[in-house]
Amino acid sequence: MNKYYSTKLSIFVFSAPALILFTVFCVYPLLPEILMSLNNHDGFRTLGFVGLDNYKDILASASFWTAHKNTYLIVGISVFMGLPLSLMFALFMDVQTPKLRRFFKTSAMLPAILSVTVVAEMWISFYEPTWGLFNSILRSIGLESWTHSWLTEKNTVMPSIGLTFLWQYIGLNAMLFYTGIKTIPKNYYEAALIDGASFTQVCLRITIPLLQDVTKYVLILSTLGSMAFYSQVRVMTAGGPGDLSRTVIYQMYYVAFETSEFGKGTAIAVVFILECLFISFLIQRFVAREKLEF
C-alpha cells in the first residue's frame, strides 16, 4: 500500500509543474473570455450582463452556419485529399536516389515556409478571370465554357481557397510522414524482400500500419490547422462575396472587430474551442489507440 501511494505521489510531484503551467497559460486565459461571452461588450467596456443571449444569437445566425460549412469543407479537403496525397508523396520520396530525395524535400518544404500573404497573392493571380493561369489554360484547349470567376462565384470560391491551402501544406505533411517512414526498422523490409513482397504489398502491410502514430499526429495537426483557417480567406476574398467564404475564425473576427460585438465574438470563440476539444477527443479515442513499439 505504501508503495502504491508513493508511486502516485511521485507521479503527482513530477507532473505538477506541467499542470501548473498548463493551467496558468491555457486554462486561466479562457476564463475572462467566457465571462465576456456572457456580457454585452463593445471591446472597451461591459454594457450589461446578457447570460446566454449571445450564444442564442450566434446559433440563430445564418452566417454562423455558413462559416461552419466552409470550415468543415476545408477540413474535408485537408484530411480526405491532403493526407492521402501527402502519404503518397512521402512513399515516393523514400524510393528515390539521395540526390533526387534532397530535391523533393526542398520542394516539399518551400510552400510551407513561404508567407501566407505571398502564397495567397500568387494564387489570386492564378484565379484571375481574364488573364489568370487556370482560365488561360482552359481557353487554350477549347474549354472556355469551363472558365470561372473563381473567387467571386458561390460554387467555386471555397474549393479555390481550399486548393491554395492544400498546396501550401501538403509538402509539410509529406515530410512528417517521411520522417515516420525512416523510423521503421529496416529488418521488416528485408524480411518482406526475402518473401518476394511487391512495393504495394510492403506499403499496405508494413509501412502504412506502422505509421499509425504519425498518422494520428498529422491528422490532429491537419484537422485543427484547417479549423483555424483564416489568413488565406482574409487576403484572397475578405470573406466575400457577401459572407460566402467566411470561416468560423473569420466570422469571429468579423463579429468582434467589424461590428464591435465582442460578446458575440467571444461566444463564437468559446463554441469553436469546444468543437476543437471534442474533435481532438474523437481522434485520440478512435485513431491509433494502441502504442506501437519497434
Side-chain angles (χ1 to χ4, degrees):
M1 185 64 71
N2 290 336
K3 183 179 180 181
Y4 173 80
Y5 282 112
S6 64
T7 301
K8 291 294 184 181
L9 180 62
S10 299
I11 294 173
F12 174 77
V13 169
F14 284 106
S15 63
L19 290 174
I20 293 172
L21 289 174
F22 178 79
T23 302
V24 171
F25 292 103
C26 295
V27 177
Y28 175 73
L30 294 178
L31 299 180
E33 304 305 316
I34 294 174
L35 181 61
M36 184 183 292
S37 71
L38 300 175
N39 288 273
N40 183 9
H41 203 288
D42 65 357
F44 297 98
R45 64 191 185 279
T46 299
L47 303 178
F49 181 78
V50 296
L52 297 178
D53 286 351
N54 285 331
Y55 292 92
K56 293 177 182 178
D57 290 342
I58 65 170
L59 292 175
S61 170
S63 294
F64 178 78
W65 296 110
T66 298
H68 270 76
K69 182 187 71 173
N70 293 337
T71 297
Y72 287 107
L73 174 63
I74 298 298
V75 172
I77 291 173
S78 179
V79 171
F80 296 108
M81 292 180 60
L83 263 63
L85 290 173
S86 297
L87 179 57
M88 287 190 289
F89 189 20
L91 294 170
F92 172 76
M93 284 193 293
D94 188 49
V95 298
Q96 301 305 308
T97 63
K99 188 174 182 179
L100 279 175
R101 194 178 297 129
R102 286 194 295 270
F103 168 76
F104 285 119
K105 285 181 181 179
T106 303
S107 301
M109 289 303 299
L110 182 60
I113 64 177
L114 289 175
S115 165
V116 172
T117 303
V118 172
V119 172
E121 290 292 345
M122 179 178 72
W123 280 80
I124 286 173
S125 66
F126 291 166
Y127 290 129
E128 209 284 327
T130 305
W131 47 262
L133 176 65
F134 296 137
N135 281 352
S136 296
I137 292 175
L138 290 172
R139 292 190 186 98
S140 68
I141 59 177
L143 296 176
E144 187 166 356
S145 61
W146 290 22
T147 60
H148 292 276
S149 181
W150 301 96
L151 296 178
T152 59
E153 294 181 14
K154 176 181 179 179
N155 294 327
T156 60
V157 58
M158 286 310 300
S160 299
I161 299 174
L163 180 61
T164 304
F165 182 80
L166 182 67
W167 177 85
Q168 185 166 15
Y169 295 108
I170 193 171
L172 175 61
N173 290 338
M175 288 302 300
L176 294 174
F177 279 122
Y178 175 77
T179 303
I181 291 172
K182 287 305 178 184
T183 64
I184 300 175
K186 296 297 182 184
N187 58 303
Y188 290 106
Y189 296 106
E190 293 169 357
L193 183 63
I194 293 172
D195 290 339
S198 66
F199 174 75
T200 302
Q201 289 174 323
V202 170
C203 291
L204 294 177
R205 301 294 182 86
I206 298 176
T207 306
I208 294 176
L210 294 181
L211 282 176
Q212 64 175 4
D213 288 337
V214 178
T215 301
K216 181 178 183 178
Y217 172 76
V218 176
L219 179 60
I220 293 174
L221 189 68
S222 297
T223 302
L224 299 186
S226 303
M227 291 187 70
F229 190 72
Y230 167 79
S231 302
Q232 289 85 349
V233 173
R234 178 64 179 170
V235 176
M236 297 181 75
T237 64
D243 62 355
L244 294 180
S245 64
R246 293 182 194 172
T247 59
V248 175
I249 295 295
Y250 193 93
Q251 181 69 9
M252 178 187 68
Y253 158 81
Y254 178 84
V255 171
F257 292 95
E258 296 291 337
T259 67
S260 297
E261 295 180 295
F262 279 79
K264 292 181 181 179
T266 52
I268 295 173
V270 171
V271 172
F272 177 75
I273 291 171
L274 293 176
E275 290 180 26
C276 290
L277 290 174
F278 179 70
I279 291 174
S280 297
F281 168 77
L282 291 180
I283 296 174
Q284 293 284 358
R285 180 68 177 81
F286 295 107
V287 179
R289 298 171 60 183
E290 297 181 3
K291 181 70 175 178
L292 289 178
E293 294 184 3
F294 299 128

